[in-house]
Every structure is written in C-alpha cells, then in structure tokens.
Amino acid sequence: MARRLEGKRIALTGPRKAQDLSKLVENMGGIPLLRPAQGTVFLDDMNLRNGLVAWVNQRPDWSVFTTGVGLDALFEMAEDMGIAEAYWDLLRETSIAARGYKTVNNLRKRQLEPLVRDDDGSTEGLIRAFAGHDLKGRSVMIQLHGDPAPRLVEWLEQQGAKTQQILPYRHIPPAEEQLDQLLSDLLGGHIDAVTFTSTPQVRFLMEYADKLGKLSELIGVLSGPVVAVAVGKVTAQGLVESGIPRIIAPREERMGSMMVELARYYAGESEPFQADH
C-alpha cells in the first residue's frame, strides 16, 4: 500500500491517535490534515450512578451492552458504589445481548455469556440476532457509549419492549472554530477524503453545517468530490443515516485498516460500504 494515497489530502476528525494516523497517511504518500470534529469525552458520573441504581432496583429482563469500554465503566462504578456483586448477580440472572467482539470479550472475562450477539459489529447485526426472541412486554436496559442509538431503541420498542438507556460517557463538541475550519475546507475543495472514527464526529459536523444553513451543500460535497471514510460499520451507519450515500469502511474496525481500504478504493479495488436498511 506504499504511496497509494500520493497527493491526497486526508482530513482526520478523530482526536484519538491522530498523530499515529497522520504518520500512516504520510507513509502512504498522503497529506494529513488534523481537523477535530469531537472534543472531550468524559465519564458522566451522576448519570452512571443513577443508571446503575435503576438497573439493580428494576432488574430488567434484558441487559444490552454496546461497547467494551462502557461495560468496564459500569463495573468500575458499581465497585466504587459497593454494589458490584449485586450487579454481577443480576446480570447472571438476566438475558444479555452484546454488540462487538470487545464487548463480548469483556463480558466473558467476568464469566458472563451473551444470549444474543451481533454477527458483524453493527447495530443492524444486533437487531438481526434478536430476531426470534419474544420481546413483547419485556424490560430492556441498554448501555450505550456517548451517543444515542435511535435505530436500536425504535426497533426494540416496535417489538413491544420497554427500554431504558444509560450512557456512561458524554461527548463534548469541539470549539466552533475547529468545526468551521473543517467545514470550510470541505466546501472549499481543499480536502479529498475525510475520516470519521466515531458517530459523535459525524453528528457534530452535521449539526454545525445545519446551524449555518449549509447541510445540503455539505451532503452534496460528501456525495461527490470528497470521499467519506468510516472506521467501522457503526460509524458508517451514522453517515448513512445523515444522508451520505457513499462511504468507505473496512471489514475490521481498525484505524490502519480504514486507511488501507481508502487506498484500495482509490485504486479501484474496493467497493463503498453497503448500509443495512
């Protein structure tokens, strides 16, 4: 893949490992542009404590976990609150659903086995795995990360489930100056491809463009000259739901794989991501 991004200007919107990703882009011949579309991520202590109390007291029929880091945060907080054993006992007695291999691995480290798990790391994969389970009248507690999951919640409620969500982490938008620079570069033709490593990055950019009355223009650019690149299927689905028709995403959710997939796309060796509807 050496030099296969020669001369391409790649905007990197994720703050995590941005320097490492910049170096990779340079090694592949590209020009990295650091354009953060996500600010601070912090543990929402009060929301997490209240959510755990509700989880233990209400004892839902189903417990749904969507990220490994969020699962860890729940257990760490439960330990701090002195309810870790009660929380673990509860989970052993309820049906568990999990999205993503990291989530499944973190559950297994705690001797917890999901009854339902996705087949591809996506929300749609988790929904497919739920097929055949009677959810009517069932109570479902959903652990998210820092962004809501309207598609999953809507589907569960359509099946008759009663849902409650807990978000251990909260994403803060970056300074408007940073979003303005990213948007200006995109609309001004100064970027060939833009990478997204989480759905909040997509949301913050789209919301800012909408605020300025430039959302349609942004979608047009991302549908034409600028290639939208996602680190995995969850982020790709977020782009699809924002109206972006063409997305490049690797099979494995890895930042390195994301750049390799982009290089393959430019070489005509890769097809855009196909969303599940």
Side-chain angles (χ1 to χ4, degrees), residues 10-175:
I10 314 296
L12 310 176
T13 67
R16 191 169 70 87
K17 296 186 177 180
Q19 295 301 329
D20 292 343
L21 200 53
S22 292
K23 188 64 177 176
L24 177 59
V25 171
E26 289 175 349
N27 290 342
M28 297 174 75
I31 303 166
L33 302 171
L34 299 181
R35 298 291 185 266
Q38 177 182 330
T40 305
V41 181
F42 70 92
L43 187 66
D44 192 342
D45 189 273
M46 187 56 67
N47 181 53
L48 190 53
R49 287 177 182 274
N50 291 340
L52 273 168
V53 170
W55 207 319
V56 172
N57 289 342
Q58 296 174 17
R59 307 187 71 82
D61 299 305
W62 281 89
S63 294
V64 181
F65 297 95
T66 63
T67 66
V69 68
L71 171 63
D72 287 343
L74 282 165
F75 270 95
E76 288 167 9
M77 182 61 74
E79 189 74 38
D80 183 68
M81 295 169 64
I83 60 172
E85 186 173 350
Y87 184 54
W88 185 72
D89 285 341
L90 178 154
L91 293 177
R92 291 181 62 204
E93 297 171 2
T94 61
S95 299
I96 296 176
R99 184 192 72 189
Y101 73 93
K102 291 181 181 178
T103 310
V104 172
N105 288 345
N106 285 9
L107 283 166
R108 287 175 175 166
K109 287 176 185 176
R110 296 177 169 89
Q111 292 77 52
L112 296 169
E113 188 69 30
L115 178 62
V116 166
R117 61 169 299 185
D118 64 275
D119 56 7
D120 62 358
S122 73
T123 298
E124 292 297 329
L126 184 59
I127 289 173
R128 286 195 299 272
F130 259 122
H133 291 274
D134 182 10
L135 297 172
K136 188 173 183 180
R138 304 295 185 191
S139 55
V140 181
M141 182 68 81
I142 310 169
Q143 170 267 312
L144 302 173
H145 186 59
D147 237 16
R151 176 76 181 96
L152 176 60
V153 172
E154 178 186 21
W155 184 86
L156 288 169
E157 291 181 349
Q158 286 175 348
Q159 310 311 304
K162 304 170 187 174
T163 64
Q164 188 170 341
Q165 303 166 56
I166 179 171
L167 283 75
Y169 290 88
R170 180 176 296 177
H171 294 268
I172 302 300

